[in-house]
Amino acid sequence: MLDWFWSLDPILQALLGGLLTWGATAAAAALVLLGRSIPRWLLDAMLGFAAGVMIAASVWSLLIPAMEVTERNGGIAWIPAATGLVAGALALRIVDRFLPHLHLFLPREAAEGVSTTWRRTTLLILAITLHNVPEGLAVGVAFGAAARVTDPLLALSLASGATALAIGIALQNVPEGLAIAVPLRREGFSPFRAFWYGQLSAIVEPLAALLGAAAVLFVEPLLPYALAFAAGAMLYVVVEELIPESQRGDHGDLATSGTIIGFTVMMVLDVALA
């Protein structure tokens, strides 16, 4: 059924995967056109779900394939995986340290990064955009990896993982679209403007997907490191932002349940499509 997709150029596959994840964000942000708010308990549960998806995706779709590729090439499996993981987390830490942004549900005075006079809404958008860069990068690297390896069985496994990753990230982008659009609507933005900025936060995903695919297609030795780098960046976002944000309200147990469900859904997707 997807033969037409796998006949496409890998760069185009990565772009389409990135467009899928952006489209999920845009579709969720469009819900703001129907109303001004959603229940806080639902948003907390969805943020927890997003965290679970990203944790499982980091393991099954990125770290395990990175080790498999290294082993097939005769290397020591854990070295690229560990190196890339730490490098990805460190890169996000540096960006988090300097990029002005504001986490959900916090006052303007709690903004992180370098000092700025930017508006609260701008800082919220930048925070979600920061989430989306490693997600897009992960999708691109996964599709590029599937096209780059020569072992047919490993290529099939990577292709299945890339598909599951794109679907999983699309699912977890739903709360991110809402997390931008709903606060903007509450602050007096028109429904269309709230939607516009909500979807705009994810426009970096197709671009990051192109960059990730190009990196592994044209610099083959980077492949396992790039997979692990994307995993490290995603895990940093989960621990630094998604989990704390989901636990700030009065629905911590519900958010934790969402994390378990999200992890399970992503795990099943990855294994079922393998």
Side-chain angles (χ1 to χ4, degrees), residues 157-239:
S157 175
L158 290 172
S160 301
T163 303
L165 180 64
I167 294 172
I169 289 180
L171 288 174
Q172 69 91 41
N173 271 0
V174 171
E176 292 187 356
L178 290 171
I180 283 293
V182 170
L184 293 182
R185 185 73 183 98
R186 286 175 179 167
E187 293 185 14
F189 278 56
S190 69
F192 180 77
R193 284 188 70 202
F195 157 73
W196 174 256
Y197 286 114
Q199 63 81 31
L200 192 63
S201 67
I203 200 64
V204 296
E205 292 204 7
L207 302 177
L210 288 175
L211 178 63
V216 298
L217 283 171
F218 298 116
V219 190
E220 184 175 0
L222 283 180
L223 176 52
Y225 293 93
L227 286 165
F229 182 94
M234 285 175 52
L235 286 173
Y236 183 90
V237 169
V238 170
V239 178

Side-chain angles (χ1 to χ4, degrees), residues 97-98 100 108 112-118:
R97 171 67 180 81
F98 292 103
R108 171 64 179 79
E112 298 181 6
V114 298
S115 179
T116 179
T117 58
W118 293 347

Side-chain angles (χ1 to χ4, degrees), residues 24-274:
T25 306
L31 295 176
V32 79
L33 300 173
L34 305 177
R36 186 177 290 268
S37 65
I38 63 170
R40 175 62 187 272
W41 65 265
L42 179 57
L43 185 57
D44 287 345
M46 294 174 75
L47 288 170
F49 178 87
V53 167
M54 290 180 71
I55 294 170
S58 296
V59 176
W60 268 273
S61 299
L62 297 170
L63 286 174
I64 291 177
M67 290 185 279
E68 290 177 344
V69 168
T70 304
E71 286 182 336
R72 294 295 177 92
N73 291 334
I76 301 174
W78 62 266
I79 292 180
T83 303
L85 180 73
V86 173
L90 181 61
L92 260 289
R93 174 67 187 103
I94 293 171
V95 175
D96 185 69
R97 171 67 180 81
F98 292 103
L99 179 70
H101 63 283
L102 178 67
H103 297 305
L104 292 175
F105 317 123
L106 294 181
R108 171 64 179 79
E109 300 74 38
E112 298 181 6
V114 298
S115 179
T116 179
T117 58
W118 293 347
R119 297 176 57 185
R120 182 175 185 275
T121 51
T122 302
L123 296 173
L124 281 171
I125 293 169
L126 285 174
I128 300 298
T129 301
L130 181 61
H131 292 185
N132 290 329
V133 171
E135 294 168 10
L137 183 65
V139 170
V141 167
F143 280 110
R148 200 70 182 87
V149 299
T150 55
D151 184 295
L153 291 178
L154 181 56
L156 179 61
S157 175
L158 290 172
S160 301
T163 303
L165 180 64
I167 294 172
I169 289 180
L171 288 174
Q172 69 91 41
N173 271 0
V174 171
E176 292 187 356
L178 290 171
I180 283 293
V182 170
L184 293 182
R185 185 73 183 98
R186 286 175 179 167
E187 293 185 14
F189 278 56
S190 69
F192 180 77
R193 284 188 70 202
F195 157 73
W196 174 256
Y197 286 114
Q199 63 81 31
L200 192 63
S201 67
I203 200 64
V204 296
E205 292 204 7
L207 302 177
L210 288 175
L211 178 63
V216 298
L217 283 171
F218 298 116
V219 190
E220 184 175 0
L222 283 180
L223 176 52
Y225 293 93
L227 286 165
F229 182 94
M234 285 175 52
L235 286 173
Y236 183 90
V237 169
V238 170
V239 178
E240 170 71 10
E241 302 187 19
L242 286 182
I243 290 178
E245 287 165 4
S246 72
Q247 297 286 334
R248 285 196 181 106
D250 298 324
H251 313 289
D253 290 343
L254 189 59
T256 301
S257 298
T259 301
I260 300 302
I261 293 171
F263 187 97
T264 303
V265 168
M266 186 66 218
M267 178 181 66
V268 170
L269 270 176
D270 201 287
V271 175
L273 291 176

